[in-house]
Amino acid sequence: MTRPRAASDRFVAQLPDHIRSQVAVIHSPLLKIEPLTVAVESDESAGLIFSSANGVNAAALLNVDRCLPAYCVGPATTQAAQDAGWDAQMRGATAQELVANLLKLRPRSPLLHLRGEHSRGNVAERLTESGLTTREQPIYRQQLLPLSDEASQAAEDNQPIIAPLFSPRTARHFADVWAGSAPLWLAAISEAAAEPLKTLRFERLKIADEPTPDKMQKAVKKLLNHVMRVESAPGAD
């Protein structure tokens, strides 16, 4: 698992029991989330935008105003914001959907997008260009990490490895640090995340039908089914 540990644990916990019983989970987070020590000026904002649970957690540590409504990407981010005390609404499964839905909703503005230092989607820019004034502020850092010792050792083994990649940035980083010879089965959350993985030698690359945890779980299940068929085929080692 390549996400930060808490997010990886949630992803694995939601897989069916029969799937978890057939795999050994190796944790190798490729990102470390570090909240920034910044002052968030939200007094003039009419609402917040969260595009990740990491943004929610960092905002909670910074004591950002809980009285503001929060417009969120995805169910996990929405639930995190609700649990942290915000009146949070899911307004799309992706940043693109959130932008489209907010432009239809036209909530009071200006809005404030609290995000990481590295962010895709240009949410604030696209909303502002379409007449819904939105500011943005990075409130956490995503530090790239090497493969864990356990992952590096497994990479040199002959057992199949299923690696889910949840963002283009972590996919690029994985492609840079992977130097193993183990059979590699890849799940990418989007076409953009899949692109840098195409430089690797792999058995199969599955792209999620939609960039959501549910679709990524389905992609992982399909890969596991393929792996099991290959491993049980006549003549397989």
Side-chain angles (χ1 to χ4, degrees), residues 120 165-168 187-197 205-208 210-211 216:
R120 289 175 57 84
L165 283 309
F166 291 84
S167 74
I189 197 166
S190 65
E191 292 280 356
E195 195 59 35
L197 301 174
L205 170 59
K206 174 66 179 173
I207 301 173
E210 297 174 1
M216 277 293 279

Side-chain angles (χ1 to χ4, degrees), residues 143-155:
Q143 178 185 346
L144 294 173
L145 300 174
L147 291 177
S148 67
D149 291 343
E150 186 180 9
S152 296
Q153 292 171 9

Side-chain angles (χ1 to χ4, degrees), residues 6-29:
S8 289
D9 285 342
R10 286 196 301 270
F11 185 85
V12 171
Q14 291 169 359
L15 291 170
D17 291 342
H18 74 276
I19 295 288
R20 295 202 303 272
S21 68
Q22 296 180 74
V23 298
V25 178
I26 297 173
H27 290 280
S28 183

Side-chain angles (χ1 to χ4, degrees), residues 1 24-28 147-162 174 178-184:
M1 293 303 299
V25 178
I26 297 173
H27 290 280
S28 183
L147 291 177
S148 67
D149 291 343
E150 186 180 9
S152 296
Q153 292 171 9
E156 299 302 329
D157 201 349
N158 60 359
Q159 295 298 312
I161 290 180
I162 298 175
F174 182 83
W178 176 264
S181 56
L184 190 58

Side-chain angles (χ1 to χ4, degrees), residues 19-61:
I19 295 288
R20 295 202 303 272
S21 68
Q22 296 180 74
V23 298
V25 178
I26 297 173
H27 290 280
S28 183
L30 296 181
L31 286 178
K32 179 182 180 182
I33 304 301
E34 297 181 334
L36 299 175
T37 304
V38 294
V40 177
E41 297 180 2
S42 60
D43 292 349
E44 296 182 2
S45 299
L48 304 174
I49 294 174
F50 292 121
S51 48
S52 74
N54 294 322
V56 173
N57 296 335
L61 288 174

Side-chain angles (χ1 to χ4, degrees), residues 1-3 11 162-166 170 185-188 216 220 223:
M1 293 303 299
T2 60
R3 304 179 85 184
F11 185 85
I162 298 175
L165 283 309
F166 291 84
T170 52
W185 301 72
L186 299 167
M216 277 293 279
V220 168
L223 285 180

